[in-house]
Amino acid sequence: MGEKKNNEIYLTYQKDDLHKICDKIKETEENADTEKFLAFMLSGLFNYRVMPFVQYNGDDLVACAVVGIAETPMERESVLYIHFAFIDVKYPYFWRKGMLFLEDLARSLKIQKILMSTKRSPEAFERKYQFKKSYTVMEKEVI
């Protein structure tokens, strides 16, 4: 990958970067299967549908996003799906930069929709990043 430049966003499949992403996942989701997610990120090397991005400030990982390209089976259109995103709270302005980056990525891939799910308040994503609620995800635990 070469030398990392501060505050630049990089597509990466470097194991060290992917492990740092997994560390961020562990900070937010204690039950996450990061070994499986690591394998999922590495699959992007072969299927060109999973893209892990990182952003550093010095040696500190300050932002990352793992996105995938998926085709919605009913509508037969490709979407950019945000599987995981993290921004260090010390750098809130990176959210805007990151969202603009993902919008540019979608445009370059001729994708017209970005999808994500969240356990946080969807209203914040509507207000800050112009997402809109189009589907509801329902869950039922099966024992």
Side-chain angles (χ1 to χ4, degrees), residues 4-10 53-57 62-65 67 80 82 85-88 91-107 114 128-131:
K4 298 172 187 158
K5 294 180 184 173
N6 279 345
N7 304 323
E8 293 294 322
I9 299 172
Y10 295 94
F53 293 95
V54 293
Q55 186 173 2
Y56 285 90
N57 188 2
V62 295
C64 60
V67 298
L80 192 68
I82 302 171
F86 164 82
I87 303 286
D88 189 314
Y91 304 93
Y93 51 90
F94 284 161
W95 271 110
R96 174 73 51 211
K97 181 179 179 179
M99 287 308 304
L100 292 173
F101 174 83
L102 292 179
E103 289 172 15
D104 288 343
L105 176 65
R107 278 187 208 94
I114 299 175
K128 291 181 179 180
Y129 309 110
Q130 294 74 50
F131 276 80

Side-chain angles (χ1 to χ4, degrees), residues 9-59:
I9 299 172
Y10 295 94
L11 172 66
T12 183
Y13 293 100
Q14 299 294 316
K15 283 244 183 169
D16 185 50
D17 292 328
L18 301 183
H19 282 287
K20 287 180 180 181
I21 292 171
C22 287
D23 290 343
K24 295 302 177 188
I25 292 171
K26 288 178 189 174
E27 289 175 18
T28 59
E29 294 286 331
E30 66 181 50
N31 294 326
D33 185 344
T34 53
E35 289 301 314
K36 188 181 286 185
F37 198 75
L38 178 64
F40 173 71
M41 288 188 288
L42 284 169
S43 74
L45 279 167
F46 306 103
N47 66 23
Y48 307 111
R49 295 223 176 257
V50 180
M51 295 171 283
F53 293 95
V54 293
Q55 186 173 2
Y56 285 90
N57 188 2
D59 290 332

Side-chain angles (χ1 to χ4, degrees), residues 94-136:
F94 284 161
W95 271 110
R96 174 73 51 211
K97 181 179 179 179
M99 287 308 304
L100 292 173
F101 174 83
L102 292 179
E103 289 172 15
D104 288 343
L105 176 65
R107 278 187 208 94
S108 73
L109 297 169
K110 304 212 182 332
I111 293 175
Q112 296 180 348
K113 288 185 183 176
I114 299 175
L115 301 179
M116 61 175 278
S117 60
T118 181
K119 292 181 180 179
R120 298 172 189 235
S121 168
E123 291 81 13
F125 289 95
E126 290 174 333
R127 185 178 65 253
K128 291 181 179 180
Y129 309 110
Q130 294 74 50
F131 276 80
K132 67 177 184 175
K133 180 180 173 183
S134 60
Y135 296 96
T136 302

